[in-house]
Structure formats: C-alpha cells, structure tokens
Amino acid sequence: MKQVQVHPERCVGCMQCMLACATAHSQSKEMHRAIGEMPLPKPRVHVGAGLSGEGFPNRCRHCDPAPCLLACLPGAIFRDPESGTVLIDPDRCINCASCAMACPFGVIRYHQDWLAPAEKTIAVKCDNCIVRQQDGLLPACVEVCKTGALTFEESADALKRKTAVVARSVSAAVDQQFPPAAGVALLLEMKKSLHSLEDR
C-alpha cells in the first residue's frame, strides 16, 4: 500500500506541507477562508529543525503494529483495512493522551477539530489525506512539496531507491580508498560497461 514517505535529506524547511495539510483538513479546503474558521484548522505534519537547522517533516508512520492503536483505551484508534492507514474516531476519543505517550515519533497533537463534537479536544494525527485519495488526489503535503522530501509510494520502492543511492556512494568511496584486486577490477569494469549500455 502506498504511504507518504519522508526523505529528510531533501527538506528545506519551507513548511509548505504544514500549510497544505491544515488547509486540506479545514472545512472550506481553501487557505484564505480556512484562516478564519473556528476551530482553526491545524496541520498533521510538523517540520522540526535538526542539529544544523535543517528541516525534518515529522508525521505519522502508520506503524504496524501501531503503539498508539494498542494503547488507545476507548478504542478510538483503528486501522483502515483497505489503505492500512491508522485513523482516529473523534467521537470515541476521550483525550486521555495514552496514544501520545505510546507514539515513538511524537506526532499526535490535541486540539479541537471541526469533525469532532463542538468544543471537544481530541487526538489528531496524519490520516494520509484519505478523503483526498478517495477523490483521486495525492495527500496535500506530497502535492505541495517541491523538493521531493515527501513522496507517496510503496515503502519497498522508497527503500530500494535509497539502498541503491547508498550502495553507489559507498562503492565510490571504497574504490578511492582501497583499489580492488586485478581480477575484481576487471569484473567491476564489465559491470559498469553493462550498466552504461542499459542506460542508453
């Protein structure tokens, strides 16, 4: 199943994902109208700063098994069987904060939401923009991210791509520090030639 994937090395900390997320979860779905809504719509993705000030878009990973789901006392947190997305039923949430204490990523917030009973504070987290997906749209944070820090794809595809990038960077460093033996060097040259032919 496709999920929003985070690539922190590409994040520039522009926070456009936060604005798009809050707008997507507003009543009007329009930014200029959403800023006047009560309760004020809030984002489900939160950009933090790393040690060097670099951005990091932090959001729910929809873990499986999900600690928040296991810790939820009233059973308000559940997994959508079709998408695998972990969701919260605002009517059942009792604002006990058990889910936030169990979440290893610190992505659950508490505030009022227009989908919850009036003036009730509830747990809120990323829902993978499940309503937008049903309309054939990308999650709002992915759609607005221009650096590719957020993508919507299968986890296996993202991991395979990352493994290839790491493998290329490590093999280049090894070539410079430890020249391969003659037979291995010949084999590596043959593989490079085959790859260059495949790329044409």
Side-chain angles (χ1 to χ4, degrees), residues 91-123:
D91 293 318
R92 298 187 73 172
C93 178
I94 58 171
N95 190 19
C96 67
S98 296
C99 54
M101 288 186 279
C103 175
F105 301 107
V107 295
I108 299 176
R109 303 289 193 273
Y110 293 86
H111 53 78
Q112 294 180 11
D113 190 88
W114 71 277
L115 293 172
E119 300 186 11
K120 179 182 180 184
T121 297
I122 59 166

Side-chain angles (χ1 to χ4, degrees), residues 65 69 136 165 191:
L69 189 154
V165 169
K191 286 185 175 181

